[in-house]
Amino acid sequence: MKAFIKTYGCQMNERDSDALASDLVNAGYTIVSREEDADLLVFNTCSVRDAAERKAKGKIGFMRKLKNKNPELIIGVVGCMAQRMGNTLLEELPHLDFVLGTGQLHTLVDTVNKVKFDRTRLALTEPSPDVLTGLAGHYDRSWSGQIAITRGCNRFCSYCIVPYVRGRELSREKDDIIAEAKMLAANGTREILLLGQNVAAYGLNGDIRPPAPDHSPFADLLAELEEIPELLRIRFTSPYPSYFNRKLIDTIARSEKICHNIHLPLQSGSNRILQAMNRQYTNESYREKVAELKAAIKDLTLSTDVIVGFPGETDEDFALTRVLMNDVGFEQSYIFKYSPRPGAKSASMDDSVPESVKEERNQILLNDLAERVVVKLNNMVGKTVTVLAEGVSARNELRWTGRTDNNIVVHFEPDDSVQTGTLRKVEITRAGSVTLFGKLV
Ligand code: 5AD
Ligand code: SF4
């Protein structure tokens, strides 16, 4: 039996798909890379932005042709769009066999069996606590591994569909996470990426009030993961800014393994818009947090998420975002054009900013980013950096690539001793527009 899995959206979805692939392999499937070769097609979908849903819907609709050719083919839609639409998807798409929501992903193998043997169609969207202990398998074993530590979100930012499709925030048991990290490390993983919609809220039992300065179960988890000797680097995404308390900042600052590259979603630099977004910080308090982080963490680099064109965003609001972004000097920014999401609070607000203005603001921020990145990369020339070697470059087989602690890709010529998943020093000789070039030291 052969299965094909396609993933839309975020890293959490990538991670879920990998766990689903592992469950399928344990059930006797082989994972294939072409739809045409498979007996089972699984589409793991995203609802965060309208564009992601439209893309998935287009592709899934197109699969009707394959089903016509092979009526035994089983097709399922899982994840956020499956959760949001449930039975409606089965009604809209007669060639679909099953729909599994975000709280039912762990039932994939059982569901496929039921569909096959009972010759039935199923839509399961009831959340189940078992999803938290399931989905721990790993199919793609490499030097880098991902571990989900929380699921869902309690923050209810007004534009965001996540709390509705992924449900309330739940943290996994620490022992389960540590066991998963040790299993990966024993199998050759050297870098782990901890995932959650709001990772820094780990272990706070869904309380959205920022914790006391000396209380951070997330910092405790990081400290314990650091003790795993084979792990060389620990990354995490995404944390909500207000959870960076003294304890968490100190834990990161002290650590040799926790990367000094933090994703700190900003969304907007205008206090009026931040309030309408239900973000619990202001332009000023965000700047203070950045200053605190920069003071404590040597060679800190920051990345962010920003939404342009939120309902009512004026030129002045946008200018505040732009100035703040340039002041902070983000190394990377992910800029999104606002789209109303069904069920999210902002969907009832007038989507007042014209598409052309959203696009214009998007381009302005992308240009700012590109200019900043060129300057920063050129400043690196002549310096020696430590990279985690990843393997042969996809673009030039004579070169290898590695990544700095700060997530910058470095191309270098390999020597005989270079190995995937090891730390190497590279002297930077040249800067490209988004990557660096250098030689092994
Ligand atoms: N429109 C545009 N961008 C959105 N995001 C979340 N919801 C929306 C929306 N309705 C962005 C936010 C978030 C990222 C994952 O997606 O910036 O941080
Ligand atoms: Fe969505 Fe806000 Fe939760 Fe992030 S913190 S997942 S933007 S509700």
Side-chain angles (χ1 to χ4, degrees):
M1 291 178 301
K2 292 177 184 158
F4 167 88
I5 305 184
K6 173 138 182 92
T7 311
Y8 296 86
C10 62
Q11 281 168 307
M12 183 65 108
N13 266 15
E14 297 283 346
R15 168 67 200 118
D16 284 345
S17 289
D18 191 61
L20 294 176
S22 163
D23 287 351
L24 288 169
V25 167
N26 289 337
Y29 282 86
T30 309
I31 306 297
V32 295
S33 56
R34 295 179 353 141
E35 298 91 313
E36 297 83 349
D37 299 333
D39 315 293
L40 166 68
L41 306 180
V42 179
F43 294 91
N44 190 4
T45 56
C46 172
S47 293
V48 170
R49 285 172 297 277
D50 187 42
E53 280 204 359
R54 269 188 282 126
K55 221 161 131 189
K57 270 194 188 151
K59 177 82 178 177
I60 297 161
F62 196 62
M63 293 298 107
R64 183 190 308 242
K65 273 169 88 179
L66 288 182
K67 184 86 165 191
N68 286 345
K69 261 199 244 159
N70 170 15
E72 295 302 309
L73 179 67
I74 308 268
I75 308 181
V77 176
V78 307
C80 291
M81 188 171 81
Q83 182 68 35
R84 188 176 83 71
M85 297 185 66
N87 246 318
T88 314
L89 269 177
L90 289 186
E91 284 159 19
E92 281 183 8
L93 302 167
H95 62 293
L96 270 194
D97 294 285
F98 69 91
V99 170
L100 281 186
T102 50
Q104 288 285 339
L105 292 174
H106 58 292
T107 69
L108 177 68
V109 171
D110 287 348
T111 304
V112 172
N113 286 340
K114 232 183 243 146
V115 166
K116 264 196 207 161
F117 298 118
D118 298 347
R119 295 205 167 254
T120 181
R121 301 173 79 215
L122 279 175
L124 303 176
T125 51
E126 268 304 297
S128 155
D130 296 341
V131 76
L132 213 59
T133 43
L135 300 179
H138 286 259
Y139 168 69
D140 183 16
R141 301 286 175 87
S142 78
W143 56 272
S144 162
Q146 307 187 336
I147 302 182
I149 64 167
T150 67
R151 289 193 165 269
C153 184
N154 283 5
R155 300 239 38 127
F156 290 91
C157 301
S158 67
Y159 51 81
C160 187
I161 200 171
V162 166
Y164 305 96
V165 288
R166 282 195 172 264
R168 292 304 83 76
E169 176 191 289
L170 294 168
S171 295
R172 287 177 66 203
E173 290 294 332
K174 189 156 82 172
D175 289 351
D176 291 353
I177 297 168
I178 301 287
E180 196 172 322
K182 284 187 173 162
M183 182 277 294
L184 288 174
N187 281 284
T189 296
R190 297 294 170 256
E191 173 180 291
I192 51 168
L193 172 64
L194 305 176
L195 293 173
Q197 256 70 41
N198 182 5
V199 270
Y202 175 78
L204 295 174
N205 302 319
D207 190 344
I208 61 162
R209 288 168 303 181
D214 58 351
H215 181 58
S216 174
F218 180 56
D220 296 335
L221 173 69
L222 288 171
E224 224 169 295
L225 288 166
E226 266 200 286
E227 298 298 315
I228 300 174
E230 297 93 335
L231 292 182
L232 302 175
R233 279 184 179 167
I234 301 170
R235 299 185 186 276
F236 54 85
T237 196
S238 288
Y240 193 88
S242 24
Y243 295 79
F244 279 94
N245 61 6
R246 199 65 256 161
K247 180 166 177 177
L248 180 53
I249 295 175
D250 286 347
T251 303
I252 299 167
R254 261 200 318 267
S255 174
E256 292 284 314
K257 293 188 180 180
I258 305 167
C259 290
H260 290 178
N261 171 245
I262 292 176
H263 188 68
L264 203 63
L266 167 65
Q267 313 300 0
S268 170
S270 153
N271 289 344
R272 206 174 59 80
I273 298 293
L274 284 169
Q275 198 175 13
M277 287 176 162
N278 192 29
R279 299 289 285 184
Q280 307 286 299
Y281 53 84
T282 59
N283 178 306
E284 297 75 24
S285 66
Y286 186 94
R287 286 173 185 267
E288 277 165 28
K289 194 58 78 185
V290 168
E292 207 185 334
L293 283 160
K294 283 188 175 171
I297 302 174
K298 186 169 71 69
D299 40 277
L300 174 78
T301 52
L302 291 164
S303 59
T304 200
D305 287 349
V306 165
I307 298 175
V308 291
F310 184 82
E313 187 188 64
T314 60
D315 286 342
E316 290 74 33
D317 293 317
F318 173 68
L320 286 163
T321 303
R322 188 179 181 196
V323 169
L324 195 155
M325 290 179 79
N326 286 328
D327 288 350
V328 172
F330 293 104
E331 248 70 17
Q332 180 57 275
S333 34
Y334 301 92
I335 299 145
F336 304 105
K337 289 182 278 182
Y338 172 77
S339 60
R341 306 306 298 128
K345 196 158 166 245
S346 70
S348 62
M349 303 174 189
D350 183 17
D351 184 9
S352 57
V353 181
E355 184 57 31
S356 58
V357 176
K358 288 180 186 168
E359 185 50 40
E360 194 186 324
R361 292 178 183 168
N362 184 32
Q363 286 306 328
I364 290 172
L365 296 185
L366 287 175
N367 285 340
D368 285 355
L369 172 69
E371 281 176 19
R372 234 181 0 250
V373 168
V374 167
V375 173
K376 290 200 185 223
L377 292 182
N378 278 295
N379 283 341
M380 303 284 294
V381 174
K383 296 195 173 132
T384 296
V385 298
T386 303
V387 303
L388 189 65
E390 295 182 358
V392 179
S393 157
R395 278 188 288 164
N396 179 345
E397 61 183 32
L398 298 176
R399 289 207 190 103
W400 271 49
T401 58
R403 230 168 254 263
T404 64
D405 163 290
N406 296 332
N407 230 351
I408 301 168
V409 173
V410 180
H411 302 268
F412 58 91
E413 273 152 43
D415 60 14
D416 291 342
S417 64
V418 71
Q419 268 185 339
T420 297
T422 55
L423 294 174
R424 294 295 301 260
K425 288 210 182 313
V426 176
E427 187 190 327
I428 304 303
T429 51
R430 179 161 73 84
S433 56
V434 286
T435 58
L436 292 169
F437 296 82
K439 56 176 195 270
L440 286 169
V441 187

